[in-house]
Amino acid sequence: MGGTEYAAGSPQRMSLETKIEGGLIGLLVGDALGVPYEFHKPLNIPKPELIGFEPPHGFDRAHPGVPPGTWSDDGAQALCLLASLLTRGEFDAHDFGNRLQNWRDYGYMAVGGKVFDIGFTTNAALNRLQAGSQPLDAGPSDERSNGNGSLMRVLPLALWHVGPDEELVRYACAQSRVTHGHPRSQVCCALYCLWTRRYLQEHADPWDNAVSTLRSIAGTDSLLRDELEREVRPDETVVGTGTGYVIDSLHSTRQLMVLESFEAIVRGAVGLGFDTDTTACIAGGLAGVRFGRQGIPMRWQNALRGKDLYTPLLEELLEHHR
């Protein structure tokens, strides 16, 4: 992964293994934590100390038929991506697209085989795939198709990948194109993957280094560079608001990562309201890398459903790095 700098003041250097475990489990825990609170405005979200897999009594929970500790489409699609990478040994758009279709149509990688949520843009892309579109052309590419559906699932790519940054960026963009083809979604996925890699490396300034790396890779004249500078605006402090817009999800995560524990970050993500499962998924994956598996409360790890689905993949992912 290149040269490593370690963050000043970090209490100890964690093993790569615990950071990878923390990333994948943190993603799934964050997703599951946010599921019951989805669609609610921030004012209606319980106080942070009351946010858990099971909401307080009387809370009008989203998806009332879904048992506590269940991840949504976010976690399922992330596991589809991870399974594809581990099986194929590279990013294979056809294989990944097939796995996404199997998730939607048959419950592959969904807890209990039950799919209860899917984004409009993702569903449209999968319909195109089913009709014969090439995977890298399936994702709608109009400006309005910039939800967070490809960002929410991309973390496993950064946990799996061991090649140069340029290839990581290329793969991040390609996995986005299967469902979200606009350069804005692609650049957010690329930046998030580089950001994750810098946390894996315990870099002193993960965000700024990821931004400078992406600028170098994108060059001075590209659609990605234009979207990065004009829309993402990575040098500015942008307040995130927890919506499903891909740039808002990225900035919501950025503002949450200043907090000093996994628990504070994912509860803060839920507290933003609206797209609570996805914001907590994106932030939870990165926070899991930062704090390691030991930083994720055991009560949430123990209550997380679907261990039969993610545990074999996690073991294979760890073996991939040995």
Side-chain angles (χ1 to χ4, degrees), residues 71 79 109-113 304-313:
W71 65 71
L79 294 180
M109 291 299 172
V111 181
L304 183 65
R305 302 177 70 221
K307 290 180 177 62
D308 58 318
L309 294 175
Y310 76 79
T311 300
L313 292 174

Side-chain angles (χ1 to χ4, degrees), residues 19-318:
K19 287 184 279 191
I20 289 172
E21 289 178 323
L24 187 64
I25 294 172
L27 178 157
L28 298 172
V29 165
D31 181 7
L33 184 70
V35 164
Y37 307 94
E38 193 177 14
F39 313 125
H40 283 274
K41 296 179 180 179
L43 287 176
N44 296 330
I45 300 291
K47 295 178 180 179
E49 63 270 20
L50 299 178
I51 294 173
F53 282 174
E54 184 68 61
H57 179 72
F59 181 79
D60 184 18
R61 61 178 297 159
H63 314 291
V66 175
T70 303
W71 65 71
S72 69
D73 55 332
D74 309 44
Q77 289 185 40
L79 294 180
C80 287
L81 178 59
L82 179 56
S84 181
L85 292 167
L86 291 169
T87 300
R88 302 298 297 168
E90 62 181 351
F91 177 70
D92 183 327
H94 286 274
D95 183 79
F96 179 48
N98 287 337
R99 290 175 192 268
L100 290 180
Q101 288 185 86
N102 286 336
W103 159 71
R104 183 191 66 175
D105 297 340
Y106 306 110
Y108 171 70
M109 291 299 172
V111 181
K114 296 182 179 178
V115 176
F116 59 89
D117 198 9
I118 183 170
F120 176 82
T121 302
T122 296
N123 195 49
L126 296 183
N127 286 338
R128 290 183 180 184
L129 273 178
Q130 209 162 42
S133 288
Q134 291 298 306
L136 294 180
D137 299 325
S141 57
D142 59 289
E143 192 171 16
R144 294 181 62 85
S145 298
N146 274 308
N148 52 23
S150 60
L151 179 62
M152 70 189 189
R153 66 177 185 236
V154 75
L155 180 83
L157 172 61
L159 300 181
W160 167 86
H161 191 263
V162 294
D165 290 339
E166 291 82 0
E167 184 180 71
L168 177 61
V169 166
R170 186 166 68 250
Y171 280 176
C173 292
Q175 72 81 34
S176 180
R177 288 174 58 187
V178 177
T179 58
H180 293 70
H182 195 278
R184 192 169 307 164
S185 290
Q186 295 181 51
V187 79
C188 287
C189 290
L191 180 53
Y192 182 80
C193 281
L194 290 170
W195 192 19
T196 301
R197 173 166 282 186
R198 297 304 179 256
Y199 269 111
L200 286 168
Q201 296 170 334
E202 298 186 17
H203 197 282
D205 197 344
W207 174 265
D208 284 349
N209 187 270
V211 170
S212 65
T213 300
L214 186 54
R215 281 176 170 146
S216 176
I217 291 171
T220 58
D221 183 19
S222 74
L223 289 174
L224 292 182
R225 181 65 184 263
D226 183 58
E227 289 291 339
L228 178 67
E229 306 299 351
R230 181 169 52 85
E231 299 296 336
V232 178
R233 293 177 291 151
D235 298 327
E236 299 179 25
T237 300
V238 180
V239 176
T241 58
T243 70
Y245 177 44
V246 65
I247 290 179
D248 187 35
S249 295
L250 192 66
H251 281 294
S252 293
T253 296
R254 185 185 177 193
Q255 74 187 29
L256 291 162
M257 287 300 291
V258 304
L259 301 176
E260 290 303 321
S261 72
F262 176 90
E263 189 167 347
I265 287 170
V266 292
R267 281 177 157 171
V270 174
L272 292 175
F274 306 114
D275 199 7
T276 51
D277 58 331
T278 303
T279 308
C281 168
I282 296 167
L286 199 61
V289 171
R290 176 182 169 192
F291 295 106
R293 183 171 187 171
Q294 71 271 22
I296 303 173
M298 283 306 304
R299 69 185 186 280
W300 287 344
Q301 293 192 48
N302 292 336
L304 183 65
R305 302 177 70 221
K307 290 180 177 62
D308 58 318
L309 294 175
Y310 76 79
T311 300
L313 292 174
L314 181 54
E315 290 174 353
E316 191 176 348
L317 177 60
L318 295 175

